[in-house]
Amino acid sequence: MAVISKNYPAPDRVQVKRALLSVSDKTGLIEFATRLSKAGVELVSTGGTARSIAEAGLPVRDVSELTGFPEIMDGRVKTLHPGVHGGLLAIRDDAEHRAAMEAHDIGAIDLAVINLYPFEQVRASGGDYATMVENIDIGGPAMIRAAAKNHAFVTTVVDVEDYGALLEEIKANGGEEAQTTLGFRKKMAQIAYARTGAYDAAVSTWMAGAIGETTPRRRVFAGELKQTMRYGENPHQKAAFYVDGTNRPGVAVAEQLQG
């Protein structure tokens, strides 16, 4: 039977010493990585992300230095390794976990900054079957889920729009050290799981359509917040409007002129 309460209550503040960055969307990456580096955070990265950071003149370690294994199979296998997942999942104040880290030379990863292969965008642009399959991210969701599970010690960022929030969190709680609070890590973990859930929903929905399965055994729905509403069905209730990315006529794609 699995032990699920080892690391709770969790520490409130955790220092961010090492960050793993692996992003498809490079928007704001260099400014963000620069701020992390200036805050004393060691940068570890993969593939094109590592090249972009290095070309900007920032110190960065390739993930292969952690794993001792090269990226193979056209990038399909690069982070699926104990050197990465051990660093994300290790319970820092557990003696057995610490001993395993020392025995296998696994360093802790305190921050995971990951956004996924652009599956939804490729689908919207009409990618063929083979292209869609290659844009199903495997390592990214695995790292996100691992980091978010261990939110007692690890901060997970999956959206570019949260870069600023993380930097503000570090600034507010850092002092001489870059730190995040438990409340912030919990919030980021929830966002992370919602992202992987939406991603899986997009993949499964696409595949059902691609193989002609009109009534799949399980159908997953996901939406992105478009705006909050003044109230729900009744004035005392809260409501929000979500969109699922479907480009079809209706209020979801309409332009609001007034009101």
Side-chain angles (χ1 to χ4, degrees), residues 81-92 101 106-109 150:
H81 190 280
V84 172
H85 286 271
L88 292 171
L89 284 165
I91 298 173
R92 312 296 200 258
M101 293 173 77
I106 297 173
I109 299 170
N150 203 23

Side-chain angles (χ1 to χ4, degrees), residues 1-8 91 149:
M1 179 175 174
V3 177
I4 60 174
S5 58
K6 281 185 170 185
N7 55 338
Y8 294 95
I91 298 173
K149 174 173 181 172

Side-chain angles (χ1 to χ4, degrees), residues 31-114:
E31 179 183 357
F32 179 62
T34 299
R35 295 276 298 277
L36 289 177
S37 186
K38 287 182 177 179
V41 179
E42 179 190 9
L43 306 180
V44 178
S45 192
T46 63
T49 307
R51 286 191 296 273
S52 295
I53 294 173
E55 288 170 1
L58 297 172
V60 60
R61 295 178 64 191
D62 191 274
V63 73
S64 61
E65 294 184 41
L66 300 188
T67 64
F69 204 86
E71 184 177 316
I72 61 173
M73 300 178 183
D74 298 318
R76 283 190 169 202
V77 180
K78 53 189 172 185
T79 58
L80 298 169
H81 190 280
V84 172
H85 286 271
L88 292 171
L89 284 165
I91 298 173
R92 312 296 200 258
D93 56 8
D94 182 271
E96 291 183 11
H97 287 213
R98 293 296 308 178
M101 293 173 77
E102 292 173 8
H104 300 286
D105 194 25
I106 297 173
I109 299 170
D110 312 298
L111 168 63
V113 181
I114 301 160

Side-chain angles (χ1 to χ4, degrees), residues 21-33 35-36 113-115 157-170 184 188:
L21 298 89
S22 180
V23 297
S24 293
D25 183 353
K26 304 294 193 296
T27 304
L29 171 65
I30 300 307
E31 179 183 357
F32 179 62
R35 295 276 298 277
L36 289 177
V113 181
I114 301 160
N115 57 57
V157 175
V158 297
D159 293 321
V160 171
E161 55 260 46
D162 287 327
Y163 289 179
L166 173 64
L167 293 173
E168 285 300 314
E169 171 78 0
I170 288 175
F184 184 81
M188 292 296 102

